[in-house]
Amino acid sequence: MTTEELEQLLAQQPIALLHRLARGRVQRHFRAGKRRLIEVLLRHSAENRAGFESDLMTLIGEKPVQPAPAPPHATTVRKSKLSAPPYRLGKRPAGPESQEPGITLATWLEGLGVPSSLQPFIPDAWQENAIAKLRESDVVVSVPTGSGKTYVAVEAARRAIAENRTVIYTSPLKALSNTKYTEFSKIFGADQVGILTGDRRENRQAPLLIMTTEILRNLLYDAGGGEIDVRLDTLGLVILDESQYIADPERGVVWEETIIFCPSQAKLLLLSASIGNPHDIADWLTSIRQMPCHLIKHSTRTVPLRAGYLHPNGKLSPLFRTVGIPHGHQGHLHPEAKRLFAQYEDETQPSGRRR
Amino acid sequence: MPPSIHPVDLIVALRAKHLTPAIVFLTSRRACDEAMQAFDHSHIVLPPVRQEAIAAVLDKVIAQYPSIAEHPLIPIVQRIGVAAHHAGHLPSWKIAVEELMRHGCLDAVFATTTLAAGVDFPARTVIITQSSIRKSRDFMDLTIGEVQQIAGRAGRRGKDLVGFAIVTPSPYIDLTVLTKGFTGHPEAINSQFVISYPMVLNLLKAHPLDQIQPILAKSFAQFQLNQRAEVLERKLDDLRVQMDPFGPRVCTDWIAEWQTFDQVRRQKTHRAPIRKFESPEIAARFHFLTPGRVVGFGRSRGVVLRQYRSKGQKSPMITALRQGGGITESPASTVTEISDRILDCVDAPVYPWCTPGTVEELLQSLDELPTKLPELPILIPKSNEPIPDAIVQILGDFACPTCPSRAACQNDYPLASKLRQEQQRHIKSIQALRTSLWHRFQEKIDVLQQFGYLTPMARLTDDGEWARLIRIDHSLLITELLRANAFNGADPAMLAAVMSSISNDDDRPGSFPRVSSGLASLLGQVRKLAASLSPHEEPPLLRADIAAVTERWIGDPTLTWIGLCKSTSMAEGDIYRLLARTLEFLSQLHTLKATHPGLADTASRAIAALRRGVLEELP
């Protein structure tokens, strides 16, 4: 076995095995990191190479599962890894580490471009489903950012207006309210849309009212106190956009109050980005509202996402071994990205310590 | 190697791979501004066609919002096709950048991560440069939800087939946080139900007190508390099963019975504790074994020369001069008699612990002493309180010693009592979970009653009727200020200035215009009141320098926006936000027309004075 092969073999072993190997050979081996340990072991092995190798083989043989023989095409990748082995990555990523090589940059960049124009807009199944379900129950929608939640809001509002019902649309930020006001005015016509924010009140008798959630909460307070301000009796639909704000430390309570005090004849449509427990929100609504609430959730993005790594020297590499995002496998880093990042850490943190 | 990629190189690299337009998320506003400066002399200019397209879009926006016509970033935006977009900019500038992005005119926008939620425009590519975000003074790792929110901006529906989220390292980046964010499942969200004073007033306005608890029970907060309570209830059920074998025995509640019996038993044994070191007798007498004291050791007599405690000896020691001239070291307990007689003794720090002359004198006077000496009466504290009679009586009442299940009880007691304690702990926590919201609500009611906004029957008083209309942060401070007539005679500028310093929660330092003396003294009073309210409401920062900005803007109607910006180091966007929030607070005061006509009038005049220039033009 050449020294290089030995080094390679050692690099593949778990650190625990290296420590067992070092016991009795190296002093204070428990203080060394993996790379240093390999270095010291190699230096030591010069004295008794045969003994060292046989010990190593016994230890490897003891392991219940022997590492699968590497596929021949992976050697090149392995070599590149060797120059800056992967264990330099700060915390060791969880998840199984398969030895497959990553995809190439060209594959990763493939598909980049503009979809052929004049493609008719076809609503996704979940969008249709949400609009249909809203006919008889409240709906909670939790989908990734940019999936087309607005389409659901617009269609639901259109239907409610056609049925002569008032629609209230709330957003967390005044700026977003203004954007939506412009957007909805274009869709429904300026006379159909009104806006109420802290300092702006326009067309407040319009069937579609846009406001910040705080304003709606205040309206509901006043309605509770007996002073009707807006036509709450004809209210048919309340759309709460960005409703993940319910977890905002300062303002979250406003969303809760709005939902609690929302008149029972109005349907609720909660639009939210992907959150971990949308079913909790739906169960909660079911428990306090008269009708059961329907949950629409999915995690696939309309436009697929790819993650990349750009080195400060301008070199681009895929971040993961797969083309798309390997959900649930955060350890599936692309060897090239791993190598570049390890190099980056080495160069920016000369002590080799993190932070 | 530079710690992070140079902005110009970044744009070049992105253009080369056709990854534009991109949103580059940076740590701070300053990083965004510095990135823009990097393009000052760069040659990576856009072709004239695209420059014209940008100019056309900008012209349209400027027509609507003239305030940005002179914006210093416009030349770079046109020449290179990159822009900065962060909270320090005016909303109109942000609208312009968003509009440019929507038309696909720009190659990159530098934005801060803090505003990931507010950035409402997608791009083909998102560049992530950090793994942590500043949240109230601390840097926190990005959550999975936040990483996905940021990455979610990549890929425009209908314009891109794929979106790209690209990580480029900067110092202190932790790649694991980001890979976890990309591949993980977003975190669960939790209720943040806060009970505020306006909420209490408004609920009590609409509903009688006995209906409040069911309303609170409808909150998401209670829903989640119930979920936790259910988990505990399941544990409680398990415990109940485990407790099955420990049901009633000879006595129904044998655990409690055994517990008291056991305690009483133990107390009995404690009556005569082992005296390890010094008995109370010795401790009490030791005080009197001072140099010169005549003491008796059985039959012989001696004079104490010194007393000491030594580590080697467990009991306190004395050195004594015995009859016959011997100097002995002995434990204090060997003293049998302490006489009421002290001989003159000049002590010395070394052996024989007194001057050699005194030894002779002492020996002589010791011999001359009469055989019978009066004894010193020493009060010795009682060693232990005896068991109270009641317990002694009870001990006789216990059936346990002769009970047939005694062995079983003794055996099972440790486990059974542990289970029962756990049971009781769970029952208590479940109770707390079920009622905590209601308790928090009641605490607020108590405060409002104390200040006279609610009657003892929890109905709104006259003050409560108008106070419920103030539905902003620091509402208690504001309503108390109104009740103290703090704004009587204040001009619109002063009122608005105080409101803005109450509304502001930004503690960034900077340079600001000078504060007028009237405002300074008024703010001093406000600060005093806020401090006195601090047990009930977190006091606001109440910065005088921030108030001065608002005062200037309202006090001087000829002041232009640019003039105002020049008078302070605050960023344009921050000034705008400050004034917009002040506007909101003032419009709340305006709703008090019926009860405070003077104040409402001042507020509306302040609003009118505030809404000019940039503030009028913006939506």
Side-chain angles (χ1 to χ4, degrees), chain A residues 51-70:
Chain A
F52 181 80
E53 275 179 23
S54 78
D55 276 7
L56 176 62
M57 285 310 159
T58 340
L59 281 176
I60 292 174
E62 267 175 34
K63 279 203 304 181
V65 189
Q66 234 174 320

Side-chain angles (χ1 to χ4, degrees), chain B residues 115-137:
Chain B
L115 269 187
V119 175
D120 189 28
F121 50 87
R124 174 174 289 171
T125 308
V126 162
I127 309 285
I128 303 172
T129 57
Q130 87 257 37
S131 60
S132 51
I133 180 174
R134 203 182 114 122
K135 279 179 199 156
S136 59
R137 282 176 223 175

